[in-house]
Structure formats: structure tokens, C-alpha cells
Amino acid sequence: MGGLSLPDGGRIKSGKLFRACKLRPKNAADRKFLASLGLDSVVDLRTPEEVREKPDRLPRGTDYVNASVFGETKFKILAPTRKSCLAMLRCTDEQFDEIIDGIRDAYAYMPYAKEAYSELFRRMNEGRTIAFHCTAGKDRTGVAAMMIELALGRTREQAFAEYMRSNERKGGSTAKLLKLLRPFKLSDKFYECVRYNSRVHAELFDRAWDAIFAKYETIGDFLLGEYGVTADNIAAWKRYYTE
């Protein structure tokens, strides 16, 4: 997140907060790069099943916590596991519509995933160098990034623009997936659902935003009311993570 600009002319410091997808370096160069970041902590927002299928491969001694955003809620079915992906091959058109509606509902829920995001905010209170991630780094991670950016002083417009950048980073992998699936002659609703789930959308950002600001006047009020993050904590975040 380093380099993101702030309205007062400052910016988020480089090398302190990393928004990521799953951390699984593929070769020695990747492992060396990950080690070079000097991470104090990794907060993994995936479900335990996602973690079991593809555990992070981290430098020795890195503080790691699995803090599942979906937990035991109804939204855990949205986690991209082998089981959920195979289940999609058998879905009806009505069920594909339900999946998309479930993604929309999940965005209204996610800002209030207290057990998960509390782990992230607690480490931020200590000024740690942190990577936080889910599987793709766009939804559960995107909501976390939005809340952090707002707390550090970025505007709604800035946070929204950064959230939408996931579409620039994920487009190629989605195209490859759809090309691999094309021979299976699946329904149009299947492809619609895959495309929707593979991207971020303005309406989803709005769902998370509205869930916060329909109840609270400011991001500070929200973080204090839901997470116990005080004004002093936020001031410390700004000292630790902005310049």
C-alpha cells in the first residue's frame, strides 16, 4: 500500500502494509523477495479449508494468524475451495443468481467481521510490518484495505479507485480460466457468475461503504464502536504508516 497519496500531501509509507493474495512463492527468487519484505506479521483472512488446501509459505519466524472473515457464517460457502468450485458445475441458473446475491450480501457483512479484522487492527496498533490477504486479494482483503485507507485519511474517491484496481491485476487470470472451461459447454449463467466473482464492482464497494456509514458518521466512530480502535490508536497508525 506504500505510496498511496493522502489529501494533505502525505502518503502511506512504503514497506509497512501489504495487501496481497495467498502467499505461496513459486521459486527461489519469489522466496527471496518475500523474505526481503521484513514482515513482522501475516494476517490470513481465508477460511480454514482454504488454508488447508493452499497454506502460505512464509519466511521462518513470521508471526502468522488465520483470521477467517467468513468464519462460521452462511458466507463461508463463497470461499473458493475445491468443494465450492466443483459444486458450481452442478448449479442451476437460479442458484447462480443466488451466488451473486450472496456476494452482494457478503459485502454488507464484511466490515463487521470483528474476530478477523480485530487481529489486523491489533497488530497495526503495535506498528508492525504486515501483509494481510485472502485468496485473490480483492474482496475480504479489499474491504480491509478500504477501512485502513479511510482511517489513515484517504477519501472515499481515493479508496474506491484503489479498490477497483483489482480488475487491472486479475483480468488475465480470469481470461485463462474461462478459456479452459469453454470446452465444457456450461450455461451462460455459469460464465456470468464466474465473471462477476472474478472482478470487483462499484456496487460492492458501495455495499460495504453503506453498511458502515448508514450507522456511523465517521470511520473513527465506526472503528471505535465496532473494534475499540481509539482516536489515539488511529493517531499512532498515522505515525507508523504515513509520511
Side-chain angles (χ1 to χ4, degrees):
M1 296 176 70
L4 295 180
S5 61
L6 301 168
D8 64 2
R11 62 184 180 182
I12 297 178
K13 289 180 182 178
S14 294
K16 289 297 292 181
L17 290 171
F18 297 90
R19 169 186 168 186
C21 58
K22 57 186 178 294
L23 297 174
R24 290 176 62 81
K26 297 178 180 178
N27 51 46
D30 286 352
R31 290 191 292 274
K32 183 178 179 180
F33 172 75
L34 186 59
S36 76
L37 300 181
L39 297 175
D40 295 327
S41 300
V42 169
V43 180
D44 185 343
L45 303 172
R46 298 177 295 169
T47 64
E49 187 173 2
E50 289 172 276
V51 174
R52 284 193 295 272
E53 288 184 358
K54 294 184 177 180
D56 284 350
R57 296 171 180 165
L58 302 175
R60 185 173 298 175
T62 305
D63 168 49
Y64 170 89
V65 61
N66 178 209
S68 174
V69 168
F70 291 151
E72 291 302 314
T73 70
K74 65 180 181 179
F75 300 111
K76 65 182 180 180
I77 195 172
L78 298 174
T81 61
R82 295 187 189 99
K83 182 178 179 180
S84 64
C85 291
L86 288 172
M88 282 187 67
L89 298 175
R90 301 187 296 272
C91 284
T92 64
D93 285 354
E94 291 76 14
Q95 287 171 321
F96 286 127
D97 288 337
E98 290 173 2
I99 291 171
I100 292 175
D101 286 342
I103 295 168
R104 293 172 178 140
D105 290 343
Y107 264 79
Y109 157 78
M110 282 193 283
Y112 295 88
K114 297 180 188 180
E115 291 186 13
Y117 295 130
S118 287
E119 295 286 355
L120 173 57
F121 298 153
R122 190 176 302 120
R123 285 160 175 76
M124 289 182 64
N125 288 341
E126 299 171 358
R128 297 196 190 188
T129 300
I130 306 167
F132 58 98
H133 76 90
C134 51
T135 291
K138 65 182 183 67
D139 298 310
R140 292 164 284 186
T141 305
V143 169
M146 177 193 77
M147 294 190 289
I148 291 169
E149 289 177 58
L150 295 174
L152 294 180
R154 280 175 47 93
T155 66
R156 183 192 193 283
E157 291 72 24
Q158 289 175 317
F160 171 71
E162 182 64 14
Y163 167 80
M164 293 300 292
R165 285 185 63 220
S166 285
N167 288 338
E168 301 169 19
R169 306 301 296 270
K170 298 297 292 182
S173 59
T174 302
K176 290 178 183 177
L177 172 63
L178 293 174
K179 185 176 180 180
L180 287 172
L181 292 172
R182 203 173 304 281
F184 292 95
K185 298 180 181 179
L186 300 164
S187 73
D188 290 343
K189 281 286 186 179
F190 173 89
Y191 290 106
E192 177 187 339
C193 187
V194 169
R195 289 189 184 95
Y196 188 89
N197 195 31
S198 298
R199 298 177 64 81
V200 294
H201 306 271
E203 67 164 336
L204 297 180
F205 183 93
D206 290 345
R207 288 281 183 127
W209 176 274
D210 291 345
I212 294 171
F213 293 103
K215 185 175 179 182
Y216 292 95
E217 185 173 347
T218 69
I219 190 65
D221 292 340
F222 165 74
L223 289 172
L224 178 61
E226 299 297 332
Y227 291 93
V229 173
T230 66
D232 287 344
N233 292 142
I234 292 177
W237 290 7
K238 292 178 179 179
R239 291 195 303 272
Y240 295 141
Y241 299 115
T242 70
E243 59 186 7

